[in-house]
């Protein structure tokens, strides 16, 4: 019993150290990526296209729906307490600080995290990684770093779009229910919105992007030989990403408000 | 090749550039709304407490934000020094006699820092001290109506605005009472030279003249005693008359109580009723024998009545037969009367009327 616990702990610690080592390698190769000739430039562009641009539609729909719901609920509920001006504060906290980065990260995890893990896992099973190494290409530099940068950039850009659609796009929907002068809305919104709100959301987006990309690539490379390990790697990538995203969100929020 | 793949670079570039443009636009809009590039005019003030006010608290005037609190410091006199700024667009409102007013919601809805411009044409220079409404200087400005204070927005704020003067008045009243008591104490100690001291001195003089006054009062009391003595004599004669009346009442009561009176005579053991009843139950026995006779008679009468009741059918049959016999006798007599052989042989009877009937029972024909 004690031996089993000790063995499990040793394996977990070893996996954690391996993961940290992998993360360090990714960071190191990322720095090099911008110095040397852009071997993986095309991979990066395609990653941003698939992860960022193709997720824009679903991201926009979510942002508009949530923003409109907050607008409608806030404009009907808060005046009952004489706190109408709080609607903008709530809108900014929910859209910019919390739900924007979080939902974007969930969408990217569900779409791109599984895709990256599955793709890399398949490459491992097909011995493509060995082929890259055989011709002198560093698989981390060529395969992981473009995905890492692509996911992080996509997260940041999608978070900005989420803010735009959540704060302004929802205004158009609200006009159908409760018409409000746009200048009044914008003035109130911009006087409540601060740069720290925007930067807080972007910081979360950056951290979530790092988490999703590193976890997905790590899980992709954790596949050994069998093709049945590929979907398992995808599932593990999603589950672990969700957990780490929520933990990171809580930690960042605590640091900001504590 | 798919359009998206073929123009991936352009699509991604546009995707990122538009996001960056939005980001820059948002930052610029935030900066414009939060006056990053506008000039502000700094002033100072002092609060008794920093409760309800903090750096960043908006300074409102008629619903508009005209400035913000920058810094709060607790000074050596335990009051709070505050530095604040007024926006350049509202700087012309900052005139002489202007004040700040901190209102705190009693139901926990936060506080509001209001700016009230002074009624003066002189514009205040940057950095000068602006008093608060609850400071002595601020109250003096309000009492002199040198400040333009608009009516409050809501009932609670109005009530709060009314409570402060009320508290001030109460405070003033308490201070006045305290001063009065101090003055009274000093006057009683003989240290006051004011009107109260004069009153106390007069009271002292009056107390000194009290023995002479008491002699006069004694004379008056003696005179009153003499006059009251005559009245007491009259009262004594009245009392003696009342005593006589009381004696008469006693005699009347005694006569009622006399054992030879009518009622005692009747009720006396040797009285008539007692004598009448004290006959060894002779009267009782007599009465009882009479009752027994009556009982027997009643029984006999009951027997007769029951016998009559049993004989009634026979009597009815007898009466019926008698009536039939009478009719037959009448027929016989009619026949005898109409017989020509014996007609006139029988002397006609004279019909005698009954005399027991009263005359008035008959007809008047």
């Amino acid at each position: 019993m004690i031996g089993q616990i000790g063995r499990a702990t040793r394996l977990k610690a070893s996996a954690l150290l391996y993961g940290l080592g992998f993360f360090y390698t990714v960071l190191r190769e990322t720095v090099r990526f911008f110095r040397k000739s852009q071997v993986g430039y095309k991979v990066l562009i395609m990653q941003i296209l698939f992860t960022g641009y193709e997720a824009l539609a679903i991201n926009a729909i979510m942002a508009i729906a949530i923003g409109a719901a907050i607008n409608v609920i806030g404009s009907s509920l808060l005046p009952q307490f004489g706190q109408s001006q709080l609607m903008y504060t709530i809108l900014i906290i929910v859209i910019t600080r919390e739900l924007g980065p979080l939902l974007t990260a969930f969408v990217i995890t569900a779409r791109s995290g599984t895709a990256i893990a599955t793709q890399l896992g398949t490459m491992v099973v097909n011995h493509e990684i060995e082929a890259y190494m055989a011709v002198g290409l560093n698989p981390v530099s060529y395969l992981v770093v473009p995905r890492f940068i692509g996911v992080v950039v996509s997260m940041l850009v999608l978070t900005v779009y989420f803010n735009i659609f959540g704060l302004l796009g929802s205004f158009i929907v609200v006009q159908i229910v409760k018409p409000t002068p746009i200048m009044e809305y914008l003035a109130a919104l911009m006087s409540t919105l601060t740069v720290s709100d925007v930067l807080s959301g972007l910081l979360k987006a950056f951290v979530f992007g790092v988490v999703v990309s590193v976890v997905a690539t790590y899980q992709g490379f954790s596949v050994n030989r069998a093709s049945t390990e590929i979907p398992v790697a995808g599932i593990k990538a999603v589950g672990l990403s969700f957990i780490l995203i929520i933990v990171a969100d809580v930690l960042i929020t605590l640091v900001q408000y504590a | 090749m798919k359009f998206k793949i073929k123009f991936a670079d352009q699509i991604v570039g546009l995707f990122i550039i538009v996001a960056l443009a939005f980001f820059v636009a948002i930052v610029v809009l935030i900066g414009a709304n939060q006056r990053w590039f506008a000039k502000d005019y700094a002033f100072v003030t002092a609060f008794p407490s920093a409760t309800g006010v903090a750096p960043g608290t908006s300074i409102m005037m008629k619903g508009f934000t005209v400035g913000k609190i920058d810094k709060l410091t607790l000074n050596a006199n335990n009051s709070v020094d505050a530095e604040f700024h007024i926006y350049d667009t509202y700087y012309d409102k900052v005139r002489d006699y202007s004040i700040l007013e901190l209102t705190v919601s009693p139901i926990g809805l936060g506080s509001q820092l209001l700016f009230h411009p002074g009624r003066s044409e002189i514009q205040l220079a940057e950095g000068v001290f602006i008093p608060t409404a609850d400071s002595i200087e601020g109250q003096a400005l309000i009492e002199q109506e040198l400040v333009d204070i608009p009516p409050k927005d809501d009932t609670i704020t109005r009530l709060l605005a009314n409570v402060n003067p009320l508290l001030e008045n109460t405070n003033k009243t308490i201070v006045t009472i305290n001063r009065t008591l101090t003055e009274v104490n000093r006057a009683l100690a003989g240290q006051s030279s004011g009107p109260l001291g004069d009153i106390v001195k007069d009271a002292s003089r009056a107390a000194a003249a009290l023995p002479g006054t008491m002699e006069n009062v004694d004379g008056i009391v003696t005179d009153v005693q003499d006059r009251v003595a005559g009245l007491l004599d009259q009262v004594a004669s009245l009392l003696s008359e009342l005593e006589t009346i009381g004696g008469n009442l006693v005699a009347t009561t005694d006569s009622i109580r006399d054992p030879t009176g009518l009622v005692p005579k009747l009720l006396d053991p040797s009285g008539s009723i007692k004598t009448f009843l004290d006959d060894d139950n002779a009267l009782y026995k007599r009465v009882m024998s009479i009752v027994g006779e009556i009982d027997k008679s009643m029984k006999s009468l009951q027997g007769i009545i029951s016998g009559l009741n049993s004989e009634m059918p026979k009597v009815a049959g007898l009466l019926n037969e008698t009536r039939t016999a009478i009719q037959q006798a009448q027929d016989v007599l009619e026949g005898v009367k109409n017989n020509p052989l014996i007609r006139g042989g029988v002397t006609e009877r004279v019909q005698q009327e009954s005399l027991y009937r009263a005359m008035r029972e008959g007809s008047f024909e």
Side-chain angles (χ1 to χ4, degrees):
Chain A
M1 176 71 179
I2 295 170
Q4 284 178 343
I5 293 171
R7 199 176 305 115
T9 308
R10 188 167 53 81
L11 285 173
K12 289 286 179 189
S14 175
L16 180 64
L17 287 173
Y18 182 81
L20 289 174
F22 177 76
F23 181 52
Y24 168 73
T25 308
V26 171
L27 288 179
R28 191 187 62 198
E29 292 302 320
T30 303
V31 174
R32 288 180 184 172
F33 182 82
F34 294 104
R35 289 181 187 169
K36 59 189 178 182
S37 58
Q38 303 299 303
V39 182
Y41 174 76
K42 192 66 184 173
V43 181
L44 171 63
I45 293 296
M46 297 311 288
Q47 189 64 51
I48 294 173
L49 183 74
F50 292 133
T51 304
Y53 176 74
E54 289 190 351
L56 183 61
I58 186 170
N59 204 44
I61 289 168
M62 275 198 312
I64 290 171
I66 291 169
I70 293 167
N71 261 313
V72 172
I73 294 168
S75 60
S76 62
L77 190 66
L78 292 171
Q80 296 175 20
F81 305 102
Q83 300 291 316
S84 305
Q85 76 280 2
L86 277 182
M87 200 263 286
Y88 300 101
T89 309
I90 293 169
L91 193 67
I92 287 164
I93 288 173
V94 173
I95 297 288
T96 307
R97 278 185 176 262
E98 292 300 326
L99 282 188
L102 200 65
L103 288 179
T104 305
F106 284 170
V107 168
I108 287 182
T109 303
R111 289 184 80 256
S112 303
T114 49
I116 291 168
T118 307
Q119 189 184 16
L120 292 181
T122 308
M123 289 172 82
V124 171
V125 170
N126 292 336
H127 303 286
E128 288 180 42
I129 307 299
E130 292 163 7
Y132 280 122
M133 292 172 74
V135 295
L137 282 173
N138 185 348
V140 173
S141 176
Y142 185 70
L143 296 175
V144 177
V145 171
R147 285 168 175 79
F148 174 76
I149 297 170
V151 169
V152 171
V153 169
S154 297
M155 264 298 303
L156 291 168
V157 172
L158 281 178
T159 301
V160 172
Y161 279 115
F162 195 100
N163 290 340
I164 298 297
F165 287 116
L167 298 177
L168 301 181
S170 61
F171 172 77
I172 298 163
V173 177
V174 171
Q175 291 307 299
I176 301 166
V177 183
K178 187 184 175 187
T180 309
I182 186 158
M183 292 313 292
E184 181 190 323
Y185 179 84
L186 276 178
L189 189 69
M190 290 304 160
S191 62
T192 311
L193 184 68
T194 60
V195 174
S196 66
D197 293 326
V198 179
L199 290 180
S200 167
L202 291 178
L203 173 67
K204 284 185 179 179
F206 176 80
V207 173
F208 297 163
V210 170
V211 167
V212 172
S213 56
V214 171
V215 169
T217 50
Y218 178 84
Q219 291 297 333
F221 279 140
S222 68
V223 173
N224 289 319
R225 293 181 184 83
S227 60
T228 51
E229 293 177 48
I230 296 168
V232 176
I235 292 167
K236 280 185 178 177
V238 172
L240 190 60
S241 293
F242 278 4
I243 292 168
L244 290 178
I245 284 167
I246 291 167
V247 170
D249 185 43
V250 171
L251 289 176
I252 293 169
T253 305
L254 283 175
V255 168
Q256 286 175 346
Y257 285 96
Chain B
M1 189 183 284
K2 281 177 71 178
F3 176 83
K4 221 167 20 180
I5 305 298
K6 188 177 180 183
F7 296 101
D9 291 355
Q10 289 81 353
I11 291 171
V12 169
L14 193 66
F15 175 66
I16 293 172
I17 286 168
V18 171
L20 279 173
F22 273 127
F23 178 74
V24 171
I26 286 173
V27 171
V28 170
L29 280 172
I30 291 170
N33 271 277
Q34 298 183 0
R35 308 175 49 77
W36 288 355
F37 315 108
K39 176 171 172 55
D40 296 330
Y41 292 85
F43 296 93
V44 292
T45 187
F47 296 103
S49 166
T51 305
V53 64
T57 301
S58 296
I59 299 170
M60 308 294 291
M61 179 184 162
K62 297 194 174 182
F64 291 88
T65 303
V66 298
K68 283 187 188 297
I69 294 286
D70 295 324
K71 188 180 175 186
L72 295 170
T73 317
L74 186 65
N75 64 20
N77 299 322
N78 293 330
S79 64
V80 178
D81 290 335
E83 296 174 15
F84 66 98
H85 64 264
I86 298 290
Y87 301 155
D88 57 348
T89 46
Y90 299 104
Y91 177 57
D92 59 327
K93 307 286 182 192
V94 188
R95 296 174 184 172
D96 205 7
Y97 312 132
S98 297
I99 61 166
L100 290 173
E101 184 185 11
L102 180 65
T103 58
V104 181
S105 169
I107 53 174
L109 295 179
S111 58
Q112 244 191 342
L113 186 58
L114 304 174
F115 176 81
H116 302 304
R119 286 176 176 162
S120 169
E121 296 301 320
I122 304 166
Q123 196 161 2
L124 287 177
E126 192 177 5
V128 300
F129 179 84
I130 294 179
T132 54
D134 48 359
S135 66
I136 295 168
E137 193 180 349
Q139 284 175 6
L141 292 174
I142 293 168
E143 283 173 8
Q144 293 169 38
E145 297 184 347
L146 294 172
V147 188
D148 184 14
I149 299 178
K152 302 298 178 188
D153 296 334
D154 55 75
T155 311
I156 291 171
T157 317
R158 259 200 306 279
L159 283 173
L160 274 175
N162 292 332
V163 165
N164 274 336
L166 197 66
L167 286 173
E168 288 298 325
N169 289 335
T170 309
N171 194 28
K172 282 178 186 170
T173 309
I174 289 168
V175 169
T176 308
I177 290 169
N178 194 22
R179 281 181 189 161
T180 307
L181 288 172
T182 309
E183 190 66 24
V184 168
N185 286 335
R186 289 185 68 237
L188 290 173
Q191 298 169 350
S192 176
S193 58
L196 189 63
D198 295 340
I199 291 167
V200 171
K201 283 173 186 170
D202 289 345
S204 180
R205 280 192 214 102
L210 200 59
T213 310
M214 286 304 292
E215 288 174 6
N216 292 336
V217 170
D218 282 344
I220 292 164
V221 167
T222 310
D223 184 37
V224 169
Q225 264 183 339
D226 293 340
R227 291 171 188 237
V228 169
L231 286 171
L232 286 173
D233 290 341
Q234 290 178 10
V235 169
S237 66
L238 281 171
L239 284 173
S240 67
E241 286 176 9
L242 284 171
E243 194 174 357
T244 309
I245 293 165
N248 291 336
L249 280 171
V250 169
T252 307
T253 309
D254 288 343
S255 65
I256 290 169
R257 286 179 187 163
D258 186 8
T260 59
L262 181 61
V263 175
K265 275 180 185 173
L266 286 171
L267 299 175
D268 194 74
S270 60
S272 303
I273 293 172
K274 177 66 178 171
T275 307
F276 179 71
L277 294 173
D278 191 14
D279 57 352
D280 290 333
N281 292 332
L283 182 62
Y284 173 75
K285 288 174 182 172
R286 182 65 183 157
V287 170
M288 288 307 290
S289 68
I290 292 167
V291 170
E293 291 296 328
I294 290 169
D295 188 45
K296 284 177 186 172
S297 301
M298 289 303 290
K299 284 178 180 172
S300 300
L301 185 62
Q302 194 174 7
I304 291 163
I305 289 167
S306 61
L308 280 172
N309 281 339
S310 61
E311 293 299 328
M312 276 304 285
K314 294 178 182 176
V315 171
L318 188 63
L319 287 172
N320 200 19
E321 287 174 3
T322 305
R323 188 171 62 81
T324 307
I326 289 168
Q327 282 178 350
Q328 287 174 355
Q330 194 176 5
D331 291 342
V332 170
L333 288 171
E334 185 72 27
V336 170
K337 186 182 176 181
N338 294 333
N339 194 335
L341 292 177
I342 58 173
R343 183 181 296 174
V346 180
T347 309
E348 288 185 359
R349 289 177 186 173
V350 178
Q351 189 69 29
Q352 180 63 45
E353 291 289 333
S354 175
L355 295 175
Y356 67 90
R357 290 175 63 191
M359 290 300 289
R360 293 183 67 179
E361 288 179 354
S363 67
F364 292 95
E365 293 175 353

